[in-house]
């Protein structure tokens, strides 16, 4: 197995994990940036035309893992960690679908919807392909009633 | 940084990387399975109601990385690795959105659309949330003309 290597770092408005809006109705539309280490910069060639990207990072503030998570969106009730997006996972890899708003310098990508802490180590960037990655009608299991509730809240 | 640990293994019909259908129009609808190591099984609690999952794995057959990939969908023309889904990445992490078709025993998940080799080490499973993960109108950059071409081919 491999040892993870940072290819860059994330800049976000969230200085602490507690500052990240949590739960399904949470808004992460604050602008953030992804900064690649200079040696990896050539790997960004031809990324311009993608409107959305997968960003993978290390949950480097997570303290070990737990097979049960207690997500705030369900008032702390336990769910298996693989049925949640909890940071305390066996492999501490985080994943966001972000909107890519262009470059700010050759090694800095301006993005939206990135829900991680400022300074988080970046592991990977992948192009988002709606042909294989978009499932707008996917069923959300235990999250579904909370999604409805939050949607109602958002409208009110 | 962390060292990746397998939490299970993937069973797929593809015995060699060369057997995996490549490119945007490729069909990966063969059924596969994800088998968790017994110690991680409790982490699957409440995953039943999700119709789609993110599956993360290690590209364990990849031989190092290259900042440029030469994807078959563009006839081998070079693109920055972060603008492709090439296995030869700085952190060799693979990602698929799969359809979850239920359990076959307590530690085995039956899935569709998994495009990796039989025996691949599993790193993580995450629930797919259409509220944050589905972007059906995302623009596909250099892949777009190929997507159109493949879609036309599929219809003919």
């Amino acid at each position: 197995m491999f040892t993870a290597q940072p290819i860059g770092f994330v800049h976000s408005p969230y200085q602490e994990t507690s500052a990240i809006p949590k739960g399904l109705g949470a808004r992460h539309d604050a602008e953030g940036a992804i900064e690649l280490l200079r040696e990896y910069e050539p790997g960004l060639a031809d990324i311009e035309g993608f409107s959305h990207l997968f960003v993978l990072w290390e949950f480097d503030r997570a303290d070990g893992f737990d097979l049960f998570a207690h997500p705030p969106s369900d008032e702390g009730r336990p769910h298996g960690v693989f049925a949640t997006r909890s940071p305390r996972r066996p492999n501490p890899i985080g994943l966001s679908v972000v909107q890519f708003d262009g470059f700010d310098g050759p090694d800095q990508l301006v993005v939206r919807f990135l829900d991680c802490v400022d300074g988080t180590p970046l592991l990977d960037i992948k192009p988002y392909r709606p042909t294989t990655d978009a499932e707008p009608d996917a069923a959300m299991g235990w999250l579904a009633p909370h999604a409805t509730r939050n949607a109602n809240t958002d409208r009110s």
Side-chain angles (χ1 to χ4, degrees), chain A:
Chain A
M1 302 295 286
F2 69 99
T3 298
Q5 305 289 340
I7 62 165
F9 292 91
V10 168
H11 301 288
S12 90
Y14 312 120
Q15 297 302 318
E16 304 286 338
T17 53
S18 59
I20 302 177
K22 303 283 195 315
L24 263 171
R27 299 283 185 168
H28 303 117
D29 55 1
E31 204 165 80
I34 299 171
E35 184 167 2
L36 246 70
L37 299 177
R38 187 148 311 169
E39 65 201 275
Y40 295 109
E41 212 182 280
L44 293 172
D46 299 330
I47 207 167
E48 297 82 13
F50 292 94
S51 62
H52 292 75
L53 303 170
F54 285 116
V55 177
L56 281 73
W57 69 81
E58 179 183 355
F59 282 120
D60 65 332
R61 323 283 162 106
D63 178 24
F65 74 92
D66 196 323
L67 290 177
F68 288 90
H70 301 79
S73 53
D74 198 21
E75 295 164 11
R77 287 187 194 90
H79 298 280
V81 66
F82 303 121
T84 77
R85 303 283 274 257
S86 165
R88 303 191 62 221
R89 323 181 69 79
N91 290 293
I93 304 171
L95 170 69
S96 278
V97 175
V98 304
Q99 179 183 312
F100 175 37
D101 286 344
F103 281 94
D104 181 12
D107 56 0
Q108 189 136 320
L109 292 80
V110 180
V111 299
R112 265 178 209 280
F113 309 123
L114 188 59
D115 56 344
C116 62
V117 185
D118 191 50
T120 293
L122 179 69
L123 296 177
D124 202 4
I125 300 171
K126 298 178 191 291
Y128 186 94
R129 303 177 301 203
T131 48
T132 58
D133 303 324
E135 296 288 350
D137 301 323
M140 285 207 286
W142 69 264
L143 278 166
H146 309 288
T148 308
R149 192 175 60 201
N150 285 328
N152 287 340
T153 306
D154 283 346
R155 273 201 298 273
S156 67

